[in-house]
Amino acid sequence: MARSRYEYGTSPRKIQPDIQRRKQSQKTRIRVVEDLPKQDIKISKEQKKRQTKLTLVVIGIFIILLTISYRNSQINEKFNRVQTLKRELSTIEKENEQLKVSIENSVNLNTIEKLAKEKLGMQKLTNKQTMYITLPKKDYVESASEEVVVEEEENWFEQIINKIFH
């Protein structure tokens, strides 16, 4: 009868000797690697050069990618700023057009007359309120016939000097 894999009971199964040998051989291999002193492992100059080249290339690629991502973030910020300014411009242009229409409507003579009658209580002139005035045709502007002389007051020091030298 074939034995099933399921074990009935609580006692653990005994480890097969083959499994123990495999584990011991793996441990010994690890010990051999661990037992080697670090000084015995030598890295050639070519390997060092390759490693430094590889690290420099990786650092260079990282810097390039970092620069590209930074530049893209700046472009996105500028693009968003342009979009907000365009939206603001369109709202201001709409407001401007509305104000132009309201100004044109308020300049209409009929609306001005209506506002004058309603708010200010004004009325149109009648013939009784008109007064005519006759003005002579003489020009009311007089030319300056007198000469204007401006005298500056001199202080006492200037008066003494003028008397001495004149």
Side-chain angles (χ1 to χ4, degrees), residues 41-56:
I41 300 173
K42 294 184 179 179
I43 299 174
S44 67
K45 290 181 180 179
E46 291 177 14
Q47 287 177 341
K48 286 182 181 180
K49 286 180 182 179
R50 281 188 220 146
Q51 286 178 350
T52 55
K53 273 186 179 180
L54 183 64
T55 54
L56 289 176

Side-chain angles (χ1 to χ4, degrees), residues 85-105:
L85 289 175
K86 282 183 180 180
R87 276 187 242 118
E88 288 177 14
L89 178 66
S90 66
T91 57
I92 289 172
E93 285 176 346
K94 287 177 185 176
E95 258 182 62
N96 197 12
E97 289 299 319
Q98 290 173 351
L99 289 173
K100 282 181 181 179
V101 169
S102 67
I103 288 172
E104 288 175 5
N105 289 338

Side-chain angles (χ1 to χ4, degrees), residues 55-69:
T55 54
L56 289 176
V57 167
V58 169
I59 290 171
I61 290 172
F62 179 73
I63 290 172
I64 289 171
L65 291 175
L66 186 66
T67 305
I68 289 171
S69 66

Side-chain angles (χ1 to χ4, degrees), residues 109-123:
L109 291 177
N110 293 331
T111 57
I112 293 173
E113 185 177 341
K114 183 179 176 183
L115 288 174
K117 285 181 181 179
E118 291 176 1
K119 288 188 178 179
L120 301 176
M122 299 176 86
Q123 297 176 355

